[in-house]
């Protein structure tokens, strides 16, 4: 019998998706689970009419760069909102979600054996996508800063992946950090691949796109999507912004892999892009505020976390539990019916953390989930522990 490609043996499943699949199974058995593991926030979004979509063209293939009018809207959005001037004809391409945009971008810039710096905590797919492109991920541990990246650069380094705002910590990069990254990229001839999927999830205007500091797009590729900012993850619409030369390479990959994004969904977005953003913006502000409240609740429970104020995630410490993050999350799910994502999914230096998402459960249920985290930490600590403060509600 023929066997599957051996290089895939080294590629892991996405840990977050693996845990969410367990939740679906438990829910199918009628069990109640507090879901703090889903990578999205649920918003109330109206369904506009599909009856007005142009026919018959909505049924057919369209431009492999993405619908031209949608490209113009996305380019205008990046210009208006983040000060990144984008030529809609040559510098942007629409594809099947930012996951595909990131993967295709990596395919476009990596030769086999090229090294890519991945900063931990790192969203679960970067490492595996680099491997799928026959590149070598070079993991930068959690206690390193952007200013210490120079020492990870070798003659084989080709790119740095930047996740800003960061999933899972919610940290937003400062101008000084971004300037340092651009200087590093210039000095060593590296690409910066900036994943900005959570660009709207801030309470203030502190977000700076990586693209804003490289107006000529000499080395920057920006990936984003409608999954988080528009709350429409199921539509699988994402995009990449880069130089015309790089977009021309990504275009070949898009043509050979997906032909074009779903035509009817692009038409829908063309018509309702701004209206949907108007609906989601206040809800985004609400979920970021909720995140702040849950961060304070974590603190009142004596649970630490990585610093960060953006997104709807908290990267919570499980110290002083003796469990690794996978065993911790498995027991949290099986014994307490609370699902969180093990920190190890975000890099080996992150095994003392779990990711908590506040995007899909009520305040009370998130707080209940946090109290269960605390109970499990207490139950698995090497010696009896006394948390600094008592949480507002009894455990
Ligand atoms: N980047 C980050 C940091 C993410 O968290 C996600 C989804 N969880 C993605 C990219 C991919 O999102 P999508 O493919 O839905 O655009």
């Amino acid at each position: 019998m023929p066997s599957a490609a051996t290089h895939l043996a080294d590629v892991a499943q996405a840990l977050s998706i693996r845990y969410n699949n367990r939740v679906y199974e438990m829910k199918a058995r009628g069990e109640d689970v507090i879901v703090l593991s889903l990578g999205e926030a649920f918003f109330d979004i109206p369904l506009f009419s599909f009856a007005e979509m142009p026919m018959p063209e909505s049924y057919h293939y369209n431009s492999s760069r993405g619908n031209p009018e949608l490209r113009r809207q996305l380019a205008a959005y990046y210009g208006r909102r983040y000060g990144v001037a984008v030529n809609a004809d040559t510098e942007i391409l629409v594809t099947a979600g930012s996951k595909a945009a990131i993967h295709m971008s990596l395919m476009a810039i990596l030769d086999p054996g090229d090294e890519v710096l991945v900063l931990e905590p790192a969203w679960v797919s970067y490492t595996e996508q680099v491997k799928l492109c026959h590149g070598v991920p070079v993991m930068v541990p959690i206690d390193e800063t952007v200013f210490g990246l120079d020492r990870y650069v070798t003659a084989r380094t080709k790119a740095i992946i930047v996740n800003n705002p960061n999933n899972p910590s919610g940290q937003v990069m400062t101008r000084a950090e971004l300037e340092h990254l651009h200087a590093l990229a210039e000095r060593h001839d590296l690409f910066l691949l900036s994943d900005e999927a959570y660009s709207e999830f801030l309470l203030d205007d502190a977000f700076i796109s990586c693209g804003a500091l490289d107006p000529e797009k000499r080395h920057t590729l920006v990936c984003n999507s409608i999954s988080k900012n528009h709350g429409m993850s199921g539509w699988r619409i994402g995009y990449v912004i880069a130089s015309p030369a790089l977009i021309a390479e990504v275009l070949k990959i898009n043509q050979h892999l997906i032909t074009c994004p779903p035509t009817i969904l692009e038409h829908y977005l063309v018509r309702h892009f701004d209206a949907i953003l108007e609906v989601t913006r206040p809800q985004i502000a609400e979920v970021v505020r909720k995140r702040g409240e849950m961060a304070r609740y974590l603190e009142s429970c004596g649970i630490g976390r990585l610093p960060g104020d953006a997104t709807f995630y908290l990267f919570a410490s499980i110290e002083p539990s003796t469990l690794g993050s996978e065993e911790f999350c498995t027991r949290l799910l099986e014994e307490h019916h609370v699902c969180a994502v093990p920190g190890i999914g975000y890099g080996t230096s992150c095994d003392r953390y779990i990711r908590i998402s506040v995007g899909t459960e009520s305040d009370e249920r998130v707080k209940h989930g946090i109290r269960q985290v605390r109970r499990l930490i207490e139950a698995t600590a090497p010696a009896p522990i006394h948390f600094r403060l008592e949480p507002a509600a009894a455990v």
Side-chain angles (χ1 to χ4, degrees):
M1 224 166 79
S3 53
T6 46
H7 73 99
L8 287 180
D10 190 33
V11 175
Q13 272 195 49
L15 208 52
S16 47
I17 297 178
R18 184 142 63 81
Y19 272 77
N20 286 319
N21 285 342
R22 282 201 207 170
V23 172
Y24 299 138
E25 284 162 22
M26 289 171 77
K27 284 192 167 175
R29 290 199 299 268
E31 295 174 38
D32 180 31
V33 181
I34 294 184
V35 184
L36 306 181
S37 49
L38 266 189
E40 58 186 325
F42 288 168
F43 296 146
D44 230 342
I45 309 169
L47 182 64
F48 298 103
S49 171
F50 273 86
E52 306 145 21
M53 296 302 120
M55 287 296 170
E57 55 264 48
S58 286
Y59 278 133
H60 303 296
Y61 297 132
N62 72 96
S63 166
S64 292
R65 284 182 191 269
N67 176 303
E69 182 51 32
L70 179 60
R71 275 188 273 133
R72 263 187 285 285
Q73 291 194 2
L74 290 167
Y77 167 72
Y78 248 82
R80 193 173 65 232
R81 188 94 176 112
Y82 305 124
V84 181
V86 180
N87 181 320
D89 294 325
T90 57
E91 296 183 331
I92 185 165
L93 175 140
V94 186
T95 185
S98 62
K99 197 175 262 190
I102 297 164
H103 189 78
M104 291 180 188
S105 298
L106 289 169
M107 286 174 91
I109 61 178
L110 295 183
D111 280 313
D114 280 348
E115 294 174 6
V116 180
L117 304 194
V118 182
L119 284 65
E120 295 183 2
W123 174 57
V124 293
S125 289
Y126 300 139
T127 321
E128 310 311 313
Q129 288 195 344
V130 169
K131 290 191 222 161
L132 285 168
C133 293
H134 304 283
V136 179
V138 175
M139 306 311 291
V140 178
I142 198 166
D143 48 8
E144 187 59 270
T145 73
V146 162
F147 302 103
L149 283 183
D150 299 57
R151 77 182 82 129
Y152 297 85
V153 176
T154 73
R156 286 311 308 254
T157 311
K158 193 69 185 286
I160 304 173
I161 299 181
V162 178
N163 181 204
N164 186 32
N166 179 270
N167 167 12
S169 73
Q171 204 156 28
V172 179
M173 285 197 164
T174 62
R175 180 172 290 275
E177 287 175 320
L178 288 168
E179 282 171 352
H180 185 84
L181 281 169
H182 281 287
L184 195 70
E186 278 293 323
R187 198 160 59 247
H188 297 284
D189 219 8
L190 310 176
F191 286 110
L192 293 182
L193 198 167
S194 183
D195 174 0
E196 304 184 349
Y198 298 88
S199 54
E200 293 275 346
F201 285 79
L202 281 80
L203 281 183
D204 52 26
D205 279 334
F207 177 71
I208 305 168
S209 169
C210 204
L213 302 189
D214 180 15
E216 292 170 41
K217 303 181 187 64
R218 286 168 55 84
H219 51 245
T220 308
L221 301 96
V222 171
C223 295
N224 207 327
S225 79
I226 65 157
S227 293
K228 320 290 168 173
N229 290 339
H230 282 73
M232 296 164 73
S233 59
W235 287 39
R236 313 307 305 128
I237 303 274
Y239 51 99
V240 49
I241 294 169
S243 68
L246 274 182
I247 290 293
E249 301 300 335
V250 179
L251 176 63
K252 295 183 211 163
I253 304 166
N254 216 31
Q255 284 177 354
H256 289 297
L257 289 188
I258 70 160
T259 304
C260 63
T263 306
I264 193 164
L265 301 184
E266 287 189 291
H267 280 304
Y268 184 100
L269 274 180
V270 164
R271 296 207 175 194
H272 305 297
F273 188 89
D274 290 325
I276 296 166
L277 258 186
E278 257 169 51
V279 170
T280 56
R281 260 201 200 118
Q283 299 183 71
I284 286 175
E286 193 48 47
V287 81
V288 182
R289 264 197 299 275
K290 177 176 172 185
R291 178 198 187 280
E293 192 189 324
M294 295 308 147
R296 285 187 289 280
Y297 191 74
L298 264 185
E299 197 183 333
S300 78
C301 289
I303 300 173
R305 65 178 174 91
L306 275 198
D309 297 313
T311 73
F312 43 87
Y313 303 118
L314 296 158
F315 209 39
S317 166
I318 55 172
E319 294 286 357
S321 170
T322 52
L323 303 181
S325 61
E326 250 201 285
E327 199 186 341
F328 189 93
C329 285
T330 300
R331 285 187 55 180
L332 190 66
L333 183 58
E334 286 171 1
E335 296 168 21
H336 300 273
H337 285 73
V338 175
C339 192
V341 183
I344 192 89
Y346 301 85
T348 48
S349 67
C350 305
D351 204 24
R352 307 309 302 144
Y353 292 86
I354 59 173
R355 189 190 74 174
I356 291 174
S357 164
V358 307
T360 58
E361 296 278 11
S362 69
D363 292 20
E364 268 325 300
R365 280 172 64 90
V366 176
K367 286 182 178 172
H368 181 79
I370 290 173
R371 291 196 295 274
Q372 303 316 303
V373 170
R374 190 183 109 139
R375 269 175 78 176
L376 188 56
I377 295 175
E378 280 172 340
T380 55
I385 52 165
H386 299 287
F387 277 108
R388 225 163 3 97
L389 295 164
E390 275 305 304
V395 175

